[in-house]
Every structure is written in structure tokens, then in C-alpha cells.
């Protein structure tokens, strides 16, 4: 036997002895850890499968509810949306809540619809884009009844946050100011729309129309005041 072979065998014996000691000391823990990892992987796959099935089920039920709402049984549609709003996956829960609020508005239950939209707008679990949509829907329903201060309170965050909803928010504020004969503020809001390069063309056209109305009404107001 060469010296190299002898030292190699000694080294292997030492390693074997070290591994044996490690196994004797930590073997049980290694087995438990491996079992936990296997269970975790199996659990995650099972949860993913269940979640996918729940999403597919909720999607089918949501589509069916939409068919009922657009058909001849809106009462059943409301029941279906209420059930989805309670126990469907998050996305379909939120969409169902929007549908219920829209149905309330359509039925003339404006106060209930505003409350439902306000709840969506302040729900931290709702996507920010949809929160903004809910804010706009509530403000739109309040446009004829609310004073300008309330409308500004409702819509200020959308404008200051430079969100995608800022154009619609400014238009609503301009309309509110116009309704309350606050022509200077109305002019400011519609002019701001024209000054924003991102304003959609159709909204830009409406802003121009409103500015023309404001300008045409100003001399008449001044004349009546003088008389």
C-alpha cells in the first residue's frame, strides 16, 4: 500500500466518522425538515389548484349574473352578485360590489349607491385604479345635490395625485362650479383641462364648449348687476 493510499483511507475513515456523528446528532431534525418541505410543496400545489378552481367557478357565476342582469331577472342577478361579493376571490368580490352599486343607482337608490361606492373608494384591498373609479362614480351621483365644497373634497385627491382620473375629476368640478354660478372657478377647471396635454379629445371639446358658455354668460351677469 502506498503512502497516498494509506492517507486517503484514513481521511475517508475520519470523514465517515464525522458524518456518522453529525447524523447521530442531527439526523432526526434533517428528516423532520425534509418532511416539512415536502408537505409545504404539496400544500402550496394543492392551494394553487384550489384557488384556480375557485377563480374559474367565480368567473362562471359572475358571467351568469351579468346575463341575468341584462336579461329578465335582475332580482336573481342581485342575489348572485351579493353571494359573490361575500365569498368570491378578491377580484370578483370587488367587481360584484361595483355591479351592486350600479344596480342601486339604476334603481334610483342613489344614497345606497353612493355609500357603496364610497366604501369601495376607501377600501385598502381595492386596486387604486378601481378606488379612483368608485370615487368618480360617487361624485357623479352627488353632482346635482352636493355643493362645490363637497365635490372638491371628494375629487381633490384624484387631481392632486395626478391620476388617470384627473380629467374626469376636473370636468365634474367644473360642472359643479358652473351649476352653482361660480363662473371663475368653473373657468379655472375647464381651462386646466385644456392646458393638460393628456386630456382626451372628446373631453377637450366639452371643455371648449363650457368655456364658450361661461364667456357668453358673463356679460349678461354684469349687465343685470348694473341694472
Amino acid at each position: 500500500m502506498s503512502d497516498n493510499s494509506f492517507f486517503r483511507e484514513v481521511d475517508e475513515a475520519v470523514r465517515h466518522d464525522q458524518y456518522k456523528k453529525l447524523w447521530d446528532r442531527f439526523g432526526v431534525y434533517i428528516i423532520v425538515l425534509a418532511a416539512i418541505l415536502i408537505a409545504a410543496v404539496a400544500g402550496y400545489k394543492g392551494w394553487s389548484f384550489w384557488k384556480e378552481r375557485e377563480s374559474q367557478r367565480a368567473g362562471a357565476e359572475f358571467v351568469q349574473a351579468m346575463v341575468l342582469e341584462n336579461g329578465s331577472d335582475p332580482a336573481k342577478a342581485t342575489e348572485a352578485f351579493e353571494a359573490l361579493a361575500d365569498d368570491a376571490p378578491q377580484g370578483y368580490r370587488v367587481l360584484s360590489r361595483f355591479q351592486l352599486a350600479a344596480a342601486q343607482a339604476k334603481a334610483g337608490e342613489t344614497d345606497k349607491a353612493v355609500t357603496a361606492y364610497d366604501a369601495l373608494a376607501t377600501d385598502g384591498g381595492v386596486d387604486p385604479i378601481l378606488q379612483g373609479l368608485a370615487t368618480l362614480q360617487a361624485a357623479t351621483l352627488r353632482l346635482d345635490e352636493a355643493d362645490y365644497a363637497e365635490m372638491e373634497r371628494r375629487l381633490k385627491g384624484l387631481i392632486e395625485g395626478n391620476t388617470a382620473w384627473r380629467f374626469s375629476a376636473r370636468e365634474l368640478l367644473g360642472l359643479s362650479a358652473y351649476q352653482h354660478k361660480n363662473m371663475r372657478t368653473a373657468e379655472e377647471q375647464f381651462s386646466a383641462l385644456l392646458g393638460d396635454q393628456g386630456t382626451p379629445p372628446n373631453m377637450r371639446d366639452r371643455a371648449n364648449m363650457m368655456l364658450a358658455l361661461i364667456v357668453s354668460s358673463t356679460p349678461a351677469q354684469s349687465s343685470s348687476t348694473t341694472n
Side-chain angles (χ1 to χ4, degrees), residues 58-70 76-77 80-81 84:
E61 291 179 1
F62 185 85
V63 171
Q64 181 61 31
M66 291 290 292
V67 171
L68 290 171
E69 186 175 51
N70 295 326
K76 281 191 175 180
F81 284 129
L84 286 168

Side-chain angles (χ1 to χ4, degrees), residues 59-123:
E61 291 179 1
F62 185 85
V63 171
Q64 181 61 31
M66 291 290 292
V67 171
L68 290 171
E69 186 175 51
N70 295 326
S72 58
D73 205 339
K76 281 191 175 180
T78 297
E79 291 178 4
F81 284 129
E82 286 175 345
L84 286 168
D86 286 337
D87 62 8
Q90 173 67 4
Y92 287 108
R93 284 207 306 269
V94 172
L95 292 178
S96 297
R97 289 168 65 188
F98 268 99
Q99 289 299 127
L100 288 169
Q104 289 170 336
K106 185 177 180 180
E109 299 176 328
T110 304
D111 291 342
K112 289 184 179 180
V114 169
T115 299
Y117 282 127
D118 283 342
L120 283 162
T122 56
D123 188 338

Side-chain angles (χ1 to χ4, degrees), residues 17-225:
D17 186 60
Q18 289 176 337
Y19 292 150
K20 185 177 183 304
K21 288 180 179 179
L22 287 172
W23 178 258
D24 291 341
R25 187 175 180 182
F26 300 109
V28 175
Y29 300 105
I30 293 172
I31 292 173
V32 171
L33 178 60
I36 291 174
L37 288 174
I38 292 171
V41 171
Y44 175 76
K45 288 186 176 181
W47 176 80
S48 297
F49 177 73
W50 174 82
K51 186 176 181 182
E52 179 65 23
R53 289 194 60 180
E54 283 295 295
S55 181
Q56 291 175 354
R57 176 191 64 80
E61 291 179 1
F62 185 85
V63 171
Q64 181 61 31
M66 291 290 292
V67 171
L68 290 171
E69 186 175 51
N70 295 326
S72 58
D73 205 339
K76 281 191 175 180
T78 297
E79 291 178 4
F81 284 129
E82 286 175 345
L84 286 168
D86 286 337
D87 62 8
Q90 173 67 4
Y92 287 108
R93 284 207 306 269
V94 172
L95 292 178
S96 297
R97 289 168 65 188
F98 268 99
Q99 289 299 127
L100 288 169
Q104 289 170 336
K106 185 177 180 180
E109 299 176 328
T110 304
D111 291 342
K112 289 184 179 180
V114 169
T115 299
Y117 282 127
D118 283 342
L120 283 162
T122 56
D123 188 338
V126 176
D127 184 272
I129 294 294
L130 294 179
Q131 283 183 312
L133 175 60
T135 298
L136 279 177
Q137 296 290 73
T140 300
L141 291 174
R142 289 290 298 153
L143 179 61
D144 291 337
E145 301 294 331
D147 58 19
Y148 184 81
E150 178 186 332
M151 294 295 290
E152 186 176 38
R153 175 181 59 78
R154 288 180 171 276
L155 298 169
K156 189 176 180 180
L158 296 181
I159 295 174
E160 291 182 346
N162 203 33
T163 69
W165 303 113
R166 67 184 185 276
F167 313 111
S168 297
R170 280 202 182 280
E171 185 174 41
L172 283 175
L173 282 178
L175 290 172
S176 177
Y178 184 82
Q179 285 182 346
H180 290 91
K181 311 300 182 184
N182 188 346
M183 297 304 170
R184 177 177 295 178
T185 300
E187 183 177 2
E188 289 174 356
Q189 295 296 347
F190 290 119
S191 295
L193 278 174
L194 294 180
D196 191 328
Q197 295 300 314
T199 301
N202 60 335
M203 199 172 291
R204 189 178 295 275
D205 291 342
R206 291 199 298 270
N208 271 317
M209 181 189 70
M210 290 304 301
L211 284 172
L213 285 174
I214 291 168
V215 169
S216 65
S217 67
T218 301
Q221 286 184 339
S222 300
S223 176
S224 62
T225 301

